[in-house]
Amino acid sequence: METTSAKVPQLAPEQILRAADYVELVWKEQGSEEEAALAEFHADGPELARLIGEFGALLLADYLTAVPDEHADCESAYALGQLVTVASRYLKRWCLADGGADTAWIAAGFLIECMQEVDQVNQFLADIRGDAYAGRPAAAA
């Protein structure tokens, strides 16, 4: 089963890396160095919120919900696909409608919670960065 969706826009590798860096900073926020880096990200407000919304849709569709081919026809795979569609749609709408640094922060927190439920946040971010560095398309256009 293909895990990408035509509804998920293709993000440039630089955008993916920037979004992954931001999510990692939110996840690890501890000291003044991280706070300064976060403040730099937050200066972009609406643009950052849009990016995190698009990145979230990519993360949900391509990394958190991969269904093995042998289960592609199962009812649970269909239900999972529908849940991903709804969650992605609402995340993107929310990030676009109320776009700002606070929205990006909360959206990143949501994505971190999703990653932690399945595996380690650092593993997901490493996989995403690896794919972006390798020049693999993040999603089908």
Side-chain angles (χ1 to χ4, degrees):
M1 177 177 170
E2 186 175 326
T3 59
T4 59
S5 166
K7 295 179 183 176
V8 178
Q10 186 147 357
L11 295 174
E14 307 81 45
Q15 291 175 302
I16 294 169
L17 296 173
R18 184 169 189 263
D21 289 347
Y22 177 72
V23 170
E24 184 171 39
L25 276 173
V26 170
W27 179 52
K28 291 183 174 181
E29 183 200 13
Q30 296 166 358
S32 60
E33 185 178 310
E34 286 84 3
E35 289 174 17
L38 281 170
E40 194 174 312
F41 271 104
H42 288 166
D44 291 339
E47 180 184 324
L48 177 63
R50 278 191 296 278
L51 176 62
I52 297 303
E54 299 295 343
F55 178 73
L58 170 87
L59 183 72
L60 289 168
D62 287 355
Y63 291 89
L64 292 175
T65 59
V67 176
D69 288 338
E70 62 269 15
H71 296 289
D73 295 332
C74 295
E75 190 172 319
S76 60
Y78 173 78
L80 181 61
Q82 295 304 319
L83 287 171
V84 167
T85 298
V86 170
S88 296
R89 182 178 11 190
Y90 275 91
L91 179 66
K92 286 171 50 178
R93 281 183 188 164
W94 185 57
C95 286
L96 290 173
D98 189 34
D102 290 338
T103 301
W105 175 270
I106 294 168
F110 168 74
L111 296 173
I112 289 165
E113 289 296 322
C114 291
M115 287 184 267
Q116 287 177 332
E117 283 300 314
V118 178
D119 200 357
Q120 293 296 315
V121 173
N122 60 346
Q123 184 59 52
F124 275 103
L125 296 175
D127 290 346
I128 293 165
R129 285 185 180 113
D131 288 351
Y133 281 124
R136 293 186 198 124

